[in-house]
Amino acid sequence: MSNYMNGDTTGMEGKALMIKRNLQEIIGEDRMNEILKDRDLKIYWGTATTGKPHVAYFVPMTKIADFLKAGCEVTILFADLHAYLDNMKAPWELLELRTQYYEHAIKAMLQSIGVPLEKLKFVKGSDYQFTKEFTKDVYRLVSMVTEHDAKKAGAEVVKQVDHPLISSLLYPGLQALDEEYLKVDAQFGGVDQRKIFTFAEKYLPQLGYTKRIHLMNPMVPGLTGGKMSASEEDSKIDLLDTQATVKKKLKKAFCEPGNKEENGVLAFVHHVIFSVFKGEDFVVERSSKNGGNVSYKDYESLENDFTELKLHPGDLKNAVEKYLNRLLEPIRKTFEDPKLKKLAATAYPVVGKNASTKGGKANTDDEISPVRLDLRVGKIMDVQMHPDADSLYVSQVDVGDETGPRTIISGLAKLIPADDLIGRLVVVLCNLKPAKMRGIESHGMILCASIEEPRQVEPLQLPLDSNPGDKVYVEGYDILGIQSDEQLNPKKKIWEKLQADLKTSPDCIAEWQNNPLVTRCGKVVCKSLKGAPIK
């Protein structure tokens, strides 16, 4: 954990400098300085509870730490009603769960960088936005705002469509009114919020309310360049991504040698790592062949080395990976709690086109989750050699289908005797697109633990009392009312992405991202292969 909050900031000038540090723009700085002469500033930061918080959220978190260090009273708003109004982003029935997820995730982030939670106030928007007084002010506001002004104000924030719903036009007005109803002096947000801030400055005085100060952070580019987005999987690193996933995403991140423009890796070092680990050198570990380790006391020196091609992108990414995992590890540990695992999975159910949530509403997110896999207990009824391939078996496997056993082809012919497979219970992936293998169509995949050197393969073993057709799922991802995809889209590589995190534990338990595969009867295991990929 970082000691980010250590040290004192006293005096008006010192507090003002801490508040302004690393901001891109302030509207109303003179008003801020006047208030600081008499008392500490009251600031709020709001976040719409839509997509999952990701590592870019560390940017506002570090500023919230600055505000607290400067003595400010800080309110964090979980804007659940805003999330609903933002066209097509969050179904109402999931908002309460997502708000709970946001609260746990953001508190874990703040604790990760050493911010004391007792100095913060957490508020849910719907707790006051449904009151008579707030509703009356909404009507007063919409009676004076034109469609043009409302649409312009939300242009950088609200989802833009050709024919916007009225709900999305209300969004900027509600955000403006939040400033009054939270009784703050200032609102903090990204520079992408600027048009909403100027909208508030124009209309709050027309309602008889005070014009507020607006503090704006720069926007941090995503890993692919451009804005880091919760809806673009490759552009961001999720707070709960494993170390392997962090490595994979950083490896693919845009970080062209010498180019600091739209470089999300450099931006993260600048706005997060050098702020959170202030007072600690940023160390890039390199082999002696590549010049040996190098330490940076400030971001400017690092950026100069990078732009002058003295620092290789690969070495920079390796260093960022180390610091990023230091930030994420406490959050991962917090979410090892089974209740939080279930909350995360329920708040963000990821299913295919034909699946539905408990409320019957389809969720078409492209996020990758094991709930999309139709894994079942299968019983091998018969095994024959493939007539045209001596390495393939053609098996008949009962997976509980009303139509009878499925034909499944496997590459086990030279690895496991047929007699050892007949009558055996296995785990079958049932929703792959049927594929012809040497002229015979296969309708599933038998999952095995497998290592290449020396070549060994072991089919996964099911708990006693399991029956053909029983569901196999990842613990914490068995979500009531959520169905798997009817068929995985091979173009989206859903199975391939999920399979990368399937392996056996040191105790030979089958796991996905360290969460065991289970049935109603217990855990799925393999006989002897430890730390082996499952495929």
PDB file of all heavy atoms in Angstrom, residues 20 37 132 203 213 241 317 367 380 408 411 440 454 456 496 503 508:
ATOM      1  N   LYS A  20      -4.667  22.135  -7.081  1.00  0.00           N
ATOM      2  CA  LYS A  20      -4.456  22.371  -8.520  1.00  0.00           C
ATOM      3  C   LYS A  20      -3.490  21.376  -9.164  1.00  0.00           C
ATOM      4  O   LYS A  20      -3.454  21.265 -10.389  1.00  0.00           O
ATOM      5  CB  LYS A  20      -3.909  23.791  -8.728  1.00  0.00           C
ATOM      6  CG  LYS A  20      -4.902  24.890  -8.372  1.00  0.00           C
ATOM      7  CD  LYS A  20      -4.411  26.265  -8.797  1.00  0.00           C
ATOM      8  CE  LYS A  20      -3.175  26.701  -8.042  1.00  0.00           C
ATOM      9  NZ  LYS A  20      -2.742  28.064  -8.413  1.00  0.00           N
ATOM     10  N   LYS A  37      -9.449  31.356   1.821  1.00  0.00           N
ATOM     11  CA  LYS A  37      -9.014  32.338   2.832  1.00  0.00           C
ATOM     12  C   LYS A  37      -9.779  32.144   4.141  1.00  0.00           C
ATOM     13  O   LYS A  37      -9.268  32.467   5.224  1.00  0.00           O
ATOM     14  CB  LYS A  37      -9.239  33.757   2.313  1.00  0.00           C
ATOM     15  CG  LYS A  37      -8.290  34.173   1.206  1.00  0.00           C
ATOM     16  CD  LYS A  37      -8.625  35.583   0.716  1.00  0.00           C
ATOM     17  CE  LYS A  37      -7.714  36.003  -0.436  1.00  0.00           C
ATOM     18  NZ  LYS A  37      -8.069  37.354  -0.942  1.00  0.00           N
ATOM     19  N   LYS A 132     -39.206  15.553  -3.685  1.00  0.00           N
ATOM     20  CA  LYS A 132     -40.114  16.550  -4.256  1.00  0.00           C
ATOM     21  C   LYS A 132     -39.349  17.798  -4.673  1.00  0.00           C
ATOM     22  O   LYS A 132     -39.574  18.357  -5.753  1.00  0.00           O
ATOM     23  CB  LYS A 132     -41.190  16.896  -3.226  1.00  0.00           C
ATOM     24  CG  LYS A 132     -42.184  17.942  -3.700  1.00  0.00           C
ATOM     25  CD  LYS A 132     -43.215  18.223  -2.615  1.00  0.00           C
ATOM     26  CE  LYS A 132     -44.178  19.317  -3.058  1.00  0.00           C
ATOM     27  NZ  LYS A 132     -45.185  19.604  -1.998  1.00  0.00           N
ATOM     28  N   TYR A 203     -26.801  27.903 -16.054  1.00  0.00           N
ATOM     29  CA  TYR A 203     -28.193  27.734 -15.647  1.00  0.00           C
ATOM     30  C   TYR A 203     -28.443  27.755 -14.141  1.00  0.00           C
ATOM     31  O   TYR A 203     -29.542  28.129 -13.720  1.00  0.00           O
ATOM     32  CB  TYR A 203     -28.760  26.439 -16.250  1.00  0.00           C
ATOM     33  CG  TYR A 203     -29.063  26.587 -17.726  1.00  0.00           C
ATOM     34  CD1 TYR A 203     -28.237  26.025 -18.692  1.00  0.00           C
ATOM     35  CD2 TYR A 203     -30.177  27.320 -18.154  1.00  0.00           C
ATOM     36  CE1 TYR A 203     -28.510  26.177 -20.043  1.00  0.00           C
ATOM     37  CE2 TYR A 203     -30.455  27.476 -19.506  1.00  0.00           C
ATOM     38  CZ  TYR A 203     -29.618  26.900 -20.446  1.00  0.00           C
ATOM     39  OH  TYR A 203     -29.901  27.067 -21.776  1.00  0.00           O
ATOM     40  N   ILE A 213     -17.373  26.194  -8.651  1.00  0.00           N
ATOM     41  CA  ILE A 213     -16.024  26.068  -9.214  1.00  0.00           C
ATOM     42  C   ILE A 213     -15.945  24.721  -9.909  1.00  0.00           C
ATOM     43  O   ILE A 213     -16.558  23.738  -9.457  1.00  0.00           O
ATOM     44  CB  ILE A 213     -14.976  26.143  -8.075  1.00  0.00           C
ATOM     45  CG1 ILE A 213     -15.122  27.463  -7.321  1.00  0.00           C
ATOM     46  CG2 ILE A 213     -13.564  25.951  -8.602  1.00  0.00           C
ATOM     47  CD1 ILE A 213     -14.664  27.366  -5.875  1.00  0.00           C
ATOM     48  N   ASP A 241      -8.451  -7.791 -13.142  1.00  0.00           N
ATOM     49  CA  ASP A 241      -7.677  -8.583 -14.090  1.00  0.00           C
ATOM     50  C   ASP A 241      -6.528  -9.290 -13.374  1.00  0.00           C
ATOM     51  O   ASP A 241      -5.890  -8.733 -12.477  1.00  0.00           O
ATOM     52  CB  ASP A 241      -7.098  -7.686 -15.201  1.00  0.00           C
ATOM     53  CG  ASP A 241      -8.093  -7.426 -16.320  1.00  0.00           C
ATOM     54  OD1 ASP A 241      -9.121  -8.130 -16.376  1.00  0.00           O
ATOM     55  OD2 ASP A 241      -7.845  -6.517 -17.128  1.00  0.00           O
ATOM     56  N   LYS A 317       7.014  -1.056 -20.342  1.00  0.00           N
ATOM     57  CA  LYS A 317       5.827  -1.865 -20.049  1.00  0.00           C
ATOM     58  C   LYS A 317       6.092  -2.843 -18.905  1.00  0.00           C
ATOM     59  O   LYS A 317       5.231  -3.042 -18.039  1.00  0.00           O
ATOM     60  CB  LYS A 317       5.388  -2.628 -21.303  1.00  0.00           C
ATOM     61  CG  LYS A 317       4.763  -1.760 -22.371  1.00  0.00           C
ATOM     62  CD  LYS A 317       4.360  -2.617 -23.575  1.00  0.00           C
ATOM     63  CE  LYS A 317       3.725  -1.792 -24.681  1.00  0.00           C
ATOM     64  NZ  LYS A 317       3.299  -2.643 -25.817  1.00  0.00           N
ATOM     65  N   GLU A 367     -18.394  -8.151 -23.069  1.00  0.00           N
ATOM     66  CA  GLU A 367     -17.421  -8.544 -22.074  1.00  0.00           C
ATOM     67  C   GLU A 367     -17.315 -10.064 -22.034  1.00  0.00           C
ATOM     68  O   GLU A 367     -18.267 -10.781 -22.283  1.00  0.00           O
ATOM     69  CB  GLU A 367     -17.838  -8.019 -20.707  1.00  0.00           C
ATOM     70  CG  GLU A 367     -16.706  -7.545 -19.872  1.00  0.00           C
ATOM     71  CD  GLU A 367     -17.189  -6.793 -18.649  1.00  0.00           C
ATOM     72  OE1 GLU A 367     -18.213  -6.109 -18.763  1.00  0.00           O
ATOM     73  OE2 GLU A 367     -16.544  -6.919 -17.624  1.00  0.00           O
ATOM     74  N   ILE A 380     -19.333 -40.789 -21.473  1.00  0.00           N
ATOM     75  CA  ILE A 380     -18.910 -41.378 -22.751  1.00  0.00           C
ATOM     76  C   ILE A 380     -19.545 -42.759 -22.890  1.00  0.00           C
ATOM     77  O   ILE A 380     -19.257 -43.674 -22.119  1.00  0.00           O
ATOM     78  CB  ILE A 380     -17.381 -41.464 -22.830  1.00  0.00           C
ATOM     79  CG1 ILE A 380     -16.771 -40.046 -22.712  1.00  0.00           C
ATOM     80  CG2 ILE A 380     -16.950 -42.119 -24.143  1.00  0.00           C
ATOM     81  CD1 ILE A 380     -15.252 -40.023 -22.722  1.00  0.00           C
ATOM     82  N   ILE A 408     -18.845 -36.501 -30.574  1.00  0.00           N
ATOM     83  CA  ILE A 408     -17.754 -35.590 -30.226  1.00  0.00           C
ATOM     84  C   ILE A 408     -16.433 -36.228 -30.624  1.00  0.00           C
ATOM     85  O   ILE A 408     -16.156 -37.389 -30.287  1.00  0.00           O
ATOM     86  CB  ILE A 408     -17.748 -35.272 -28.714  1.00  0.00           C
ATOM     87  CG1 ILE A 408     -19.033 -34.527 -28.333  1.00  0.00           C
ATOM     88  CG2 ILE A 408     -16.527 -34.435 -28.346  1.00  0.00           C
ATOM     89  CD1 ILE A 408     -19.153 -34.193 -26.861  1.00  0.00           C
ATOM     90  N   GLY A 411      -8.832 -35.635 -29.764  1.00  0.00           N
ATOM     91  CA  GLY A 411      -7.495 -36.063 -30.178  1.00  0.00           C
ATOM     92  C   GLY A 411      -6.820 -36.932 -29.138  1.00  0.00           C
ATOM     93  O   GLY A 411      -5.628 -36.780 -28.862  1.00  0.00           O
ATOM     94  N   ILE A 440     -16.267 -35.745 -40.404  1.00  0.00           N
ATOM     95  CA  ILE A 440     -17.293 -36.061 -39.404  1.00  0.00           C
ATOM     96  C   ILE A 440     -17.499 -34.837 -38.520  1.00  0.00           C
ATOM     97  O   ILE A 440     -16.540 -34.241 -38.027  1.00  0.00           O
ATOM     98  CB  ILE A 440     -16.887 -37.272 -38.548  1.00  0.00           C
ATOM     99  CG1 ILE A 440     -16.713 -38.513 -39.442  1.00  0.00           C
ATOM    100  CG2 ILE A 440     -17.940 -37.549 -37.468  1.00  0.00           C
ATOM    101  CD1 ILE A 440     -16.254 -39.746 -38.698  1.00  0.00           C
ATOM    102  N   PRO A 454       6.866 -33.488 -20.615  1.00  0.00           N
ATOM    103  CA  PRO A 454       6.538 -34.578 -21.539  1.00  0.00           C
ATOM    104  C   PRO A 454       5.034 -34.614 -21.794  1.00  0.00           C
ATOM    105  O   PRO A 454       4.258 -34.221 -20.922  1.00  0.00           O
ATOM    106  CB  PRO A 454       7.003 -35.832 -20.782  1.00  0.00           C
ATOM    107  CG  PRO A 454       6.867 -35.446 -19.343  1.00  0.00           C
ATOM    108  CD  PRO A 454       7.181 -33.990 -19.256  1.00  0.00           C
ATOM    109  N   GLN A 456       1.423 -35.190 -21.729  1.00  0.00           N
ATOM    110  CA  GLN A 456       0.507 -35.891 -20.844  1.00  0.00           C
ATOM    111  C   GLN A 456      -0.861 -35.227 -20.927  1.00  0.00           C
ATOM    112  O   GLN A 456      -0.956 -33.998 -20.994  1.00  0.00           O
ATOM    113  CB  GLN A 456       0.991 -35.834 -19.387  1.00  0.00           C
ATOM    114  CG  GLN A 456       2.293 -36.565 -19.118  1.00  0.00           C
ATOM    115  CD  GLN A 456       2.657 -36.471 -17.646  1.00  0.00           C
ATOM    116  OE1 GLN A 456       2.010 -37.050 -16.784  1.00  0.00           O
ATOM    117  NE2 GLN A 456       3.718 -35.723 -17.351  1.00  0.00           N
ATOM    118  N   GLU A 496     -11.485 -19.032 -26.790  1.00  0.00           N
ATOM    119  CA  GLU A 496     -10.034 -18.894 -26.736  1.00  0.00           C
ATOM    120  C   GLU A 496      -9.606 -17.926 -25.634  1.00  0.00           C
ATOM    121  O   GLU A 496      -8.624 -18.155 -24.917  1.00  0.00           O
ATOM    122  CB  GLU A 496      -9.494 -18.431 -28.090  1.00  0.00           C
ATOM    123  CG  GLU A 496      -9.570 -19.474 -29.197  1.00  0.00           C
ATOM    124  CD  GLU A 496     -10.949 -19.593 -29.835  1.00  0.00           C
ATOM    125  OE1 GLU A 496     -11.877 -18.871 -29.400  1.00  0.00           O
ATOM    126  OE2 GLU A 496     -11.124 -20.419 -30.739  1.00  0.00           O
ATOM    127  N   LYS A 503      -6.907 -23.534 -15.871  1.00  0.00           N
ATOM    128  CA  LYS A 503      -5.768 -24.404 -15.571  1.00  0.00           C
ATOM    129  C   LYS A 503      -6.025 -25.139 -14.264  1.00  0.00           C
ATOM    130  O   LYS A 503      -6.968 -24.822 -13.522  1.00  0.00           O
ATOM    131  CB  LYS A 503      -4.478 -23.594 -15.481  1.00  0.00           C
ATOM    132  CG  LYS A 503      -4.441 -22.582 -14.359  1.00  0.00           C
ATOM    133  CD  LYS A 503      -3.106 -21.843 -14.342  1.00  0.00           C
ATOM    134  CE  LYS A 503      -3.072 -20.840 -13.189  1.00  0.00           C
ATOM    135  NZ  LYS A 503      -1.774 -20.117 -13.127  1.00  0.00           N
ATOM    136  N   CYS A 508      -4.378 -29.730  -7.980  1.00  0.00           N
ATOM    137  CA  CYS A 508      -5.049 -30.429  -9.087  1.00  0.00           C
ATOM    138  C   CYS A 508      -6.540 -30.115  -9.183  1.00  0.00           C
ATOM    139  O   CYS A 508      -7.325 -30.905  -9.708  1.00  0.00           O
ATOM    140  CB  CYS A 508      -4.848 -31.951  -8.992  1.00  0.00           C
ATOM    141  SG  CYS A 508      -3.135 -32.471  -9.191  1.00  0.00           S
TER     142      CYS A 508
END
